Amino acid sequence: MKETLKLLVVDDDEVDRMAIRRALTEGGVQMELSEVSDSNDAFSALNTTAYDCIFLDYRLPLQDGLTLIKQLRSSEIKVPLVILTDRGDEEIAVQLIKAGATDYLSKSRISPENLTQVLRSAIRIYRAEMQAALAQEELIIKIQQLEKQQQQIQMQNFKLLETSQLKSHFLATMSHELRTPMNAIIGFSQILLRPKFAQLTHQQADMVERILNNGKHLLMLLNEVLDFSKLEVGRLDLKAEKFDLSKIINLAVGEMRSLADAKNLSLLVQTNLQNPLVFNDPVRIKQILLNLLSNAIKFTESGEIWVELQELPANRLVIIVRDTGIGIASRDFKRIFEAFRQVDQTITRKYPGTGLGLAIVDSLVRMMGGKIFLESKLGIGSMFKIELPRQIALTNVATEARIALDDNGIFYSAKNPHQSFCQARQTPIGYPKFKI
Ligand code: ADP
């Protein structure tokens, strides 16, 4: 030990003190040694000076060593403490170590080697204990900080949830409130366009027609927002009944035909159903198809749009909508099913829309216990494939499902993504135009 150590010897016997001093000197310890003969003086010395180690005689005239140790611990004085015992005091020494002493040495064994060794190990043990205590304190502080952060995160989550609920409520209220005047605009425009009701000039009729068409478009957007907000809070119910699926599909295609014609796109329907009867919500099935078809028409500049209806094993059906449009990059497969997400989110984007259509389709399909598959390639086209049970179970709720992307980049949405994908693989559907 190269450093100069501040040491204190507490012993009422002058001869013993001298023996310790000599042993330490002969042991080569560099030190500033203080000596006191009773526990009161020891306590005062320890209160004013920071010692590196104390050698304490167990048997002192006023108090024994144990009382002094307890006194030191309760006054939070921390110092390595070596007890000097008489022969046969080993049991007492163990008690003292339990009370807080660092080590002990029998006076009969005092020698330069023994004393320096005990001194070194007492200081080493004490420093290690101090470091461990410091680390523990730091750990406690870190745990407290983490707990505080956790509380803050919980608070933020709570606020986020509250904000999200407010947003849903706002969307639902606003879209509901706006629908009433919008219906009035549509209704009065329709009345104005009746030949018997008003004698409009050609130009006036043209203007009213525009009001009507824009009104209908706005109403469609409002309905989308309203549906979405209802789906978000789980307030949209399916009204299931038995109906002919091919009829609904043809009805939806019929409604979209004029839009496809306006862009010179062929709109083809192919239904291969032995039994077209299903138990589902016809309004929502039509809504799903209208959403997919309007996207297919919107994002296709030339070519065709196909709608296919096929039967699958295990009483399931598949509705396929394919187009030869702009396509979707695989990195966007998952994103486009999220609410308000569009591949092009710039204000100057070419294609209009709320970005809610696919989010609504996704939620509805999941409520119906179905799955959506998407295959697409940029510049070639897209295929949305919707698998549905022939008869839906109304207990299916949207929150049970998950959205995922399989290893081949094919998007699917299902209760158990792995299982659904395996099932899908067993029933491949031909997609001749392109493959990812
Ligand atoms: P919107 O059509 O109102 O933008 P959707 O949720 O229906 O919202 O679609 C989200 C996005 O997915 C679209 O903005 C578009 O980028 C992409 N998308 C959807 N369908 C097609 C399609 N058939 N071809 C190319 N892109 C599509």
Side-chain angles (χ1 to χ4, degrees), residues 65-134:
L66 184 61
T67 317
L68 182 66
I69 289 173
K70 286 182 179 165
Q71 214 178 353
L72 289 180
R73 296 304 173 220
S74 65
S75 59
E76 300 228 346
I77 293 174
K78 291 188 175 106
V79 59
L81 207 145
V82 177
I83 302 294
L84 301 169
T85 58
D86 290 327
R87 201 190 297 268
D89 278 349
E90 279 75 15
E91 261 183 47
I92 295 167
V94 172
Q95 259 185 32
L96 293 168
I97 285 181
K98 278 186 190 159
T102 318
D103 206 349
Y104 76 97
L105 182 69
S106 170
K107 283 186 180 175
S108 59
R109 293 188 58 233
I110 289 178
S111 67
E113 297 77 38
N114 285 345
L115 203 60
T116 48
Q117 199 186 346
V118 169
L119 172 68
R120 277 191 195 120
S121 83
I123 292 177
R124 209 178 303 125
I125 290 169
Y126 171 78
R127 287 182 181 168
E129 278 173 1
M130 286 301 107
Q131 273 178 359
L134 201 73

Side-chain angles (χ1 to χ4, degrees), residues 295-296 298-299 323 326-328 336 341-343 353-358 382 384:
N295 276 346
K298 184 161 68 176
F299 295 105
D323 63 56
I326 59 170
I328 303 157
I336 57 166
R341 290 277 194 192
Q342 295 166 317
V343 170
T354 54
L356 285 177
L358 287 181
S382 309
F384 287 85

Side-chain angles (χ1 to χ4, degrees), residues 134-264:
L134 201 73
Q136 204 178 0
E137 265 173 41
E138 281 173 358
L139 200 69
I140 289 169
I141 291 171
K142 288 232 164 78
I143 289 172
Q144 283 169 345
Q145 283 172 343
L146 276 176
E147 279 172 354
K148 212 171 152 189
Q149 279 173 1
Q150 210 176 1
Q151 278 174 358
Q152 281 171 344
I153 290 170
Q154 274 174 352
M155 278 297 290
Q156 277 168 352
N157 277 347
F158 183 71
K159 278 187 189 155
L160 274 177
L161 196 75
E162 210 177 34
T163 316
S164 163
Q165 281 169 349
L166 270 174
K167 180 209 69 186
S168 300
H169 186 72
F170 170 77
L171 287 178
T173 317
M174 281 313 288
S175 46
H176 185 76
E177 289 298 316
L178 289 172
R179 268 181 356 148
T180 315
M182 198 46 68
N183 275 322
I185 292 170
I186 291 170
F188 287 126
S189 323
Q190 279 167 336
I191 293 172
L192 278 174
L193 284 173
R194 277 187 208 152
K196 281 184 194 158
F197 187 81
Q199 296 295 319
L200 300 178
T201 63
H202 184 69
Q203 200 186 11
Q204 284 168 334
D206 185 50
M207 281 152 91
V208 176
E209 228 164 84
R210 283 191 202 191
I211 294 173
L212 179 63
N213 288 337
N214 280 301
K216 279 183 180 170
H217 181 65
L218 266 179
L219 188 66
M220 195 264 296
L221 296 181
L222 287 174
N223 283 338
E224 235 175 34
V225 175
L226 187 64
D227 279 348
F228 170 74
S229 51
K230 277 189 192 164
L231 278 165
E232 230 190 0
V233 291
R235 289 226 190 101
L236 195 136
D237 297 322
L238 295 177
K239 296 183 180 69
E241 60 183 78
K242 209 171 179 178
F243 66 93
D244 185 331
L245 182 62
S246 45
K247 270 193 191 157
I248 292 289
I249 302 289
N250 282 326
L251 219 68
V253 171
E255 280 183 28
M256 294 312 245
R257 194 165 291 284
S258 60
L259 280 179
D261 289 347
K263 288 181 87 176
N264 274 329

